[in-house]
Amino acid sequence: GETQAAREVDEDTLARRRRVLGPDHPGTLTSQNNLGRDLSRLGMYQAARELDEDTLARRRRVHGDDHPWTLITASNLAFDLRRLGEVEAARDLDADTLARRRRVLGDDHPQTLASASNLAFDLERLGEHQAAAELRSEVGQRRSGQGKASTSGQ
C-alpha cells in the first residue's frame, strides 16, 4: 500500500532530480537514499543493496566518509546485507559506522546508539554472544542516561 506508493513517488522524484540536478547533487542522493529504503521495506533487498552501494559511493565522494548523511546510507546498506545473509559484511560496515558516529556525533547520540544496536545484532547472529551482550548493556545504560560521559571531540 503506502510503501509501494512511496516507492513510485520516490522513483519519479529521483528521475527528475537526476535530470535537473545531476546524479551527485545532495538532493538527488537524498532521493536515491529514500528509494533504497522503500525497496528494502518492500523486501527487495538485492535491489536496495545495489542502489545503496551506489548512493554510499557517491555520498562518500561528495560529502566524505564521516558526514552524517553518508553514515545513514552506510547503515541502510548494512541492513540490506544483513537481510541478504551477508552478516559478516554487515558487521564490518556496522562497526565502521559505529566508530565514525561515535567520533562525529558522540557516544550518546540516537544514531550512534542505533548503530551500536545494529552491531550487537550482527554479533549475536555471528555467535559472538558476550560481545553482543556487552554492547547491548552499554546501549541500555546510555539510553537511560547512565552511560559514561561522551567521548566526542577527544
Side-chain angles (χ1 to χ4, degrees):
E2 290 183 21
T3 303
Q4 181 59 37
R7 173 190 173 189
E8 293 168 8
V9 169
D10 287 337
E11 284 176 332
D12 180 64
T13 303
L14 176 58
R16 290 171 189 263
R17 284 186 167 178
R18 280 181 177 156
R19 188 175 59 251
V20 174
L21 302 174
D24 290 336
H25 187 278
T28 304
L29 297 177
T30 295
S31 291
Q32 191 163 309
N33 184 77
N34 292 346
L35 179 57
R37 294 308 304 144
D38 296 338
L39 294 171
S40 186
R41 287 183 181 119
L42 290 166
M44 302 172 68
Y45 303 116
Q46 185 59 40
R49 173 196 183 161
E50 292 168 9
L51 193 60
D52 287 340
E53 286 175 336
D54 182 68
T55 307
L56 181 58
R58 290 175 187 278
R59 280 191 159 168
R60 283 178 170 161
R61 189 173 60 249
V62 171
H63 300 297
D65 292 340
D66 293 339
H67 191 282
W69 293 349
T70 303
L71 299 175
I72 287 169
T73 301
S75 184
N76 293 348
L77 176 57
F79 178 85
D80 301 333
L81 293 168
R82 190 177 312 111
R83 296 300 294 199
L84 289 167
E86 297 180 40
V87 183
E88 289 180 357
R91 180 211 43 217
D92 293 346
L93 189 52
D94 278 332
D96 180 71
T97 302
L98 175 58
R100 292 175 188 280
R101 281 182 164 164
R102 281 182 167 158
R103 188 174 63 252
V104 173
L105 302 174
D107 291 334
D108 297 326
H109 191 279
Q111 289 180 357
T112 303
L113 297 175
S115 285
S117 292
N118 292 343
L119 179 56
F121 185 78
D122 298 335
L123 294 170
E124 186 71 35
R125 295 228 9 224
L126 291 169
E128 299 177 39
H129 304 293
Q130 183 63 36
E134 290 171 6
L135 197 50
R136 281 196 185 100
S137 176
E138 178 188 341
V139 169
Q141 289 174 354
R142 290 190 181 284
R143 284 190 172 146
S144 68
Q146 299 171 6
K148 299 174 185 170
S150 177
T151 58
S152 66
Q154 291 186 8

